[in-house]
Amino acid sequence: MNYRDVLETLKKASAFDLYRLSCAIDREMERPEHIVAVQRQVRTGQVIRYFDGTENREYEARVTKFGRSLLHVERIDDGRRWRIPYYMVNLGEVDVSVSQPGNNKPITANDLSIGQQIGFYDKENQERSGVVERINQKSVSIRTETGRWRVAYCYLFPVIEGDTFDGADLISVADNETA
């Protein structure tokens, strides 16, 4: 499924249309057939991938236990334990990205994930890079070597390669704003 095309179609929908569709999707995700389908394909100890909508990114985790409506997992990256709905499990190894490289479309909230490297132009039109900390409706909170910045989407650009800031050495930060 091409998520970008779906989102482009949804932009034409009214707020009520989106709400009604959201209700139908919520009911569909909770159907017992979908839960059983995941339970049949997953085993305790198996490493799975799941999509976290709040951080807009995918994680690897080990299955620890089956619940009636939630799957118990332990994340591979930090060992933290979570209970996730079965519908979050990406069994088909589907590409979860919405952005398409090289399409020259502006970056949106759907293109970003927490922890992702991103570049931006500051008030003096200088290029900076940092790590996405928070995704807001109109702007993104980014942690850089010089502090935290709130940056409007129109000032963002993808970071492809190079010497970028990963945020690991940051101890104290100042708050900055762009646009």
Side-chain angles (χ1 to χ4, degrees):
M1 176 177 285
N2 185 326
Y3 298 120
R4 170 121 5 228
D5 288 347
V6 171
L7 290 172
E8 288 299 319
T9 301
L10 291 176
K11 285 181 182 177
K12 300 171 189 165
S14 71
F16 178 79
D17 290 335
L18 294 173
Y19 166 71
R20 181 62 188 98
L21 185 58
S22 173
C23 292
I25 289 171
D26 287 345
R27 276 194 212 95
E28 190 64 29
M29 288 187 308
E30 298 291 340
R31 283 185 43 212
E33 302 89 56
H34 294 300
I35 293 172
V36 170
V38 174
Q39 289 173 334
R40 286 185 179 154
Q41 295 182 55
V42 175
R43 301 286 173 251
T44 302
Q46 179 179 347
V47 174
I48 53 108
R49 296 184 72 78
Y50 73 91
F51 184 78
D52 182 343
T54 58
E55 295 194 10
N56 206 36
R57 66 180 287 192
E58 198 172 42
Y59 286 101
E60 275 194 337
R62 186 173 317 283
V63 175
T64 59
K65 183 179 170 185
F66 291 88
R68 193 171 67 103
S69 61
L70 299 174
L71 184 63
H72 299 240
V73 298
E74 181 179 339
R75 279 204 348 218
I76 300 297
D77 64 340
D78 62 7
R80 294 176 63 190
R81 293 179 175 254
W82 297 89
R83 289 183 302 240
I84 62 171
Y86 286 97
Y87 54 75
M88 289 173 67
V89 178
N90 185 357
L91 291 175
E93 297 183 18
V94 174
D95 179 10
V96 298
S97 65
V98 173
S99 62
Q100 299 167 341
N103 64 5
N104 291 330
K105 290 194 176 189
I107 292 176
T108 69
N110 288 313
D111 300 319
L112 300 174
S113 60
I114 305 297
Q116 178 181 351
Q117 292 281 337
I118 193 74
F120 65 95
Y121 295 99
D122 66 13
K123 290 177 183 176
E124 286 80 40
N125 208 28
Q126 298 294 313
E127 285 188 13
R128 296 184 180 269
S129 68
V131 178
V132 175
E133 281 193 326
R134 188 171 175 193
I135 301 168
N136 305 305
Q137 186 174 3
K138 295 180 181 179
S139 64
V140 179
S141 297
I142 301 172
R143 184 178 63 233
T144 70
E145 291 173 330
T146 60
R148 284 194 175 107
W149 296 74
R150 229 174 60 185
V151 182
Y153 288 98
C154 63
Y155 295 103
L156 299 177
F157 60 86
V159 173
I160 308 300
E161 289 181 30
D163 190 13
T164 59
F165 172 69
D166 67 5
D169 298 327
L170 188 63
I171 295 171
S172 65
V173 295
D175 287 330
N176 298 298
E177 277 193 29
T178 298

